[in-house]
Amino acid sequence: MKKMLKTMVVLFAMLMALPTMADDLANIIERDFSSRADSLNEVLVQRFMNLSKGTFWAVPKNRAECVEATKFIYWQQAHAMDVLVYAYERIKDSDPEKAAKYKNYMELWYANHANNWYVADYDPTGFFNEFTDDMCWICLTLLHIADALDDEQYALTAKTVFDDYVVPRGWTDDAGFCGLPWKLDFMDRNACTNAPACVVASKLYLRFGDETYKQTAIDIYDYMHNVMVTELNNDGRVEDPPLTYTQGTFAEACRLLYHLTGESQYLNTAVKVTFYLCSSSRCVDHGLLRHEGTTMDQSIFKAVAIPYIVNIVLEEDASEAYRKQFVRFLQKNANALWDNLLKDRYPLMYCNYYWGEPIDTNEVPSLGAMVSGASLMENMARLALALKSAEATDLRTPALSNTHTLAPIYDLQGRRLTSRQSESMRGIWIGNGKKYIAR
């Protein structure tokens, strides 16, 4: 017995001496990207935001074509605001004055229905649109705001939009797969609609606990995986051509389903899809996310993908080798973007469509390109701070009893909490596949 105890003590000491996953990943990060994120966020707000409405212009506000170009910019508003929501979460304690401004922008954005150009008399929310994917993106940002501000009205609005206007459009095909159409009265289903819908359904389940949402998420996943991914030889492509935002969003859908069900197949798929996004020559150009086009839709694709790649890096149950690759890939992109910004022109420091080259000053700057760059830097700041925080927290404390091991605990974003975080946690959390409220 004494020999066994001595052996356990030695093993425990060896375990404590080993570098943790957080140590390894944190060491790859060269810097805290917060100041760089602050700079790009300031350009985004000062040059592209309608400060009286909390919505965003398609081109810088001093351009003659600004109003006309912005008329039908709706789903892009979700991702532009999402950058500021992440920024708010990062600075709310360190810079309460700026955080208050960002909170005000969120409230204005909500009150002005994110510049929604589609008006339906029967829609009390103001967020109904003929494009199904547009409503899904808006729902995701509403849920993000609800979490950031701890204000349920935003989540309830997202719930109404999803329940009343998104889900009723779906149908089951002859093969038994259920999916959603791209737009109203348009019987064509694609990844850019169904992937975000799967994420919305998963998040609504996490928040409200209604099993219907969980089943909806699983049904949509089954449709996408069997009809889209498998037909492409299951190499990690979600659709053809592979676009960064559909790759990233489907990976996030899989990651969340892993937490909803505990089934490893979902996490494995999430990693495979993310790896394709970060390595395939069809998504990457000279080690950087490629130039996907100059339209407002194309230019904002990378803004959607970046936060979800970061979520995979922060997913402790994912492969360490892949997570390290993703960290290096993200950092390479962030450094290339920063090195190619025309910083001497600040605040006219606009992001280019491709981060490996400086913007052509003769071109009209784009909201989509600006949001993609700001999303990259803001989420790199989020990643760096999260890894440094994890490094400082004792993640190696083993269970003290061999008869009782606590199951992993996750927050509403699907992020696994450390033991110290869980001890002081308040609000809604997930463990053992169930939702709990800690008060």
Side-chain angles (χ1 to χ4, degrees):
M1 183 69 180
K2 290 183 178 180
K3 184 177 181 180
M4 181 182 296
L5 181 60
K6 182 177 180 180
T7 301
M8 291 177 64
V9 171
V10 172
L11 289 173
F12 176 72
M14 291 173 63
L15 176 65
M16 293 298 287
L18 290 173
T20 67
M21 178 81 71
D23 291 334
D24 291 344
L25 292 173
N27 289 336
I28 298 174
I29 295 288
E30 298 171 352
R31 60 178 57 80
D32 177 358
F33 289 82
S34 296
S35 61
R36 295 181 177 186
D38 289 338
S39 296
L40 290 184
N41 292 342
E42 194 65 19
V43 176
L44 176 62
V45 169
Q46 295 305 322
R47 307 308 301 172
F48 288 94
M49 177 176 271
N50 182 335
L51 297 175
S52 65
K53 292 188 173 182
T55 56
F56 297 85
W57 301 111
V59 296
K61 60 180 66 178
N62 62 316
R63 302 287 306 189
E65 67 270 38
C66 182
V67 175
E68 187 63 27
T70 306
K71 186 178 297 183
F72 298 108
I73 300 302
Y74 181 45
W75 77 279
Q76 297 88 348
Q77 301 282 346
H79 303 295
M81 179 52 68
D82 217 39
V83 173
L84 297 188
V85 180
Y86 277 119
Y88 171 85
E89 292 174 315
R90 173 173 59 84
I91 67 170
K92 61 183 179 181
D93 295 326
S94 61
D95 191 347
E97 184 176 350
K98 181 179 286 187
K101 290 182 180 180
Y102 286 175
K103 179 176 183 290
N104 181 55
Y105 297 150
M106 294 179 220
E107 293 168 345
L108 289 170
W109 182 91
Y110 178 77
N112 288 286
H113 308 122
N115 196 52
N116 188 11
W117 51 269
Y118 196 101
V119 178
D121 294 336
Y122 51 82
D123 169 33
T125 71
F127 292 103
F128 174 91
N129 194 276
E130 66 174 330
F131 289 94
T132 313
D133 57 331
D134 286 25
M135 291 190 290
C136 290
W137 300 121
I138 292 294
C139 285
L140 289 173
T141 299
L142 287 170
L143 289 169
H144 193 183
I145 294 173
D147 286 339
L149 302 184
D150 192 23
D151 190 331
E152 198 69 2
Q153 69 167 324
Y154 299 97
L156 291 172
T157 299
K159 183 179 186 300
T160 297
V161 171
F162 192 74
D163 290 351
D164 294 354
Y165 309 133
V166 173
V167 172
R169 295 183 183 183
W171 80 92
T172 303
D173 59 26
D174 294 339
F177 296 120
C178 182
L180 292 160
W182 180 46
K183 61 185 294 189
L184 189 64
D185 301 325
F186 190 76
M187 304 297 280
D188 181 33
R189 300 182 292 189
N190 54 24
C192 77
T193 301
N194 285 277
C198 189
V199 176
V200 176
S202 299
K203 286 180 175 285
L204 288 174
Y205 169 72
L206 291 174
R207 179 173 287 275
F208 296 106
D210 186 338
E211 289 289 331
T212 302
Y213 292 127
K214 180 179 178 180
Q215 189 59 53
T216 297
I218 292 172
D219 289 344
I220 294 174
Y221 168 87
D222 287 343
Y223 158 68
M224 291 191 65
H225 188 268
N226 289 285
V227 176
M228 296 180 181
V229 179
T230 303
E231 287 186 356
L232 296 172
N233 298 316
N234 203 21
D235 62 357
R237 279 176 295 165
V238 176
E239 204 170 37
D240 210 62
L243 302 173
T244 57
Y245 82 136
T246 48
Q247 293 289 137
T249 312
F250 185 59
E252 177 69 359
C254 295
R255 189 186 71 84
L256 289 172
L257 279 168
Y258 166 68
H259 291 296
L260 265 60
T261 66
E263 297 178 17
S264 60
Q265 61 168 333
Y266 294 114
L267 185 57
N268 294 338
T269 301
V271 172
K272 177 187 289 188
V273 168
T274 305
F275 179 72
Y276 187 94
L277 166 60
C278 297
S279 64
S280 170
S281 60
R282 302 190 65 190
C283 297
V284 174
D285 178 7
H286 290 85
L288 306 177
L289 290 173
R290 69 180 178 90
H291 183 332
E292 293 179 274
T294 59
T295 70
M296 186 55 61
D297 284 349
Q298 296 165 330
S299 61
I300 208 167
F301 287 167
K302 291 190 283 291
V304 185
I306 291 294
Y308 299 145
I309 301 174
V310 169
N311 286 353
I312 290 291
V313 173
L314 296 177
E315 179 57 63
E316 293 182 13
D317 291 341
S319 161
E320 176 181 2
Y322 282 115
R323 292 170 69 198
K324 287 181 177 179
Q325 289 185 60
F326 300 154
V327 172
R328 292 188 178 97
F329 176 77
L330 289 167
Q331 185 158 256
K332 180 175 181 177
N333 277 263
N335 288 337
L337 169 63
W338 187 255
D339 290 343
N340 284 288
L341 288 172
L342 303 179
K343 293 181 278 292
D344 60 327
R345 293 173 60 88
Y346 183 88
L348 308 181
M349 190 176 71
Y350 301 119
C351 298
N352 197 12
Y353 299 104
Y354 176 63
W355 295 326
E357 300 171 351
I359 191 171
D360 182 347
T361 55
N362 293 317
E363 290 184 356
V364 178
S366 161
L367 171 67
M370 192 69 223
V371 171
S372 287
S375 176
L376 172 63
M377 211 62 74
E378 183 59 51
N379 279 281
M380 281 304 296
R382 175 167 73 97
L383 176 60
L385 292 172
L387 291 178
K388 292 298 182 184
S389 175
E391 181 186 33
T393 303
D394 184 9
L395 296 177
R396 292 168 289 182
T397 303
L400 297 180
S401 169
N402 58 9
T403 61
H404 178 69
T405 302
L406 290 176
I409 296 173
Y410 304 89
D411 66 11
L412 290 174
Q413 298 301 313
R415 294 176 297 219
R416 186 170 177 171
L417 302 180
T418 66
S419 57
R420 291 185 182 179
Q421 289 172 321
S422 62
E423 287 174 2
S424 59
M425 186 174 179
R426 298 292 181 269
I428 302 173
W429 53 277
I430 304 163
N432 283 321
K434 299 180 180 179
K435 190 170 74 170
Y436 300 90
I437 300 178
R439 302 185 187 279

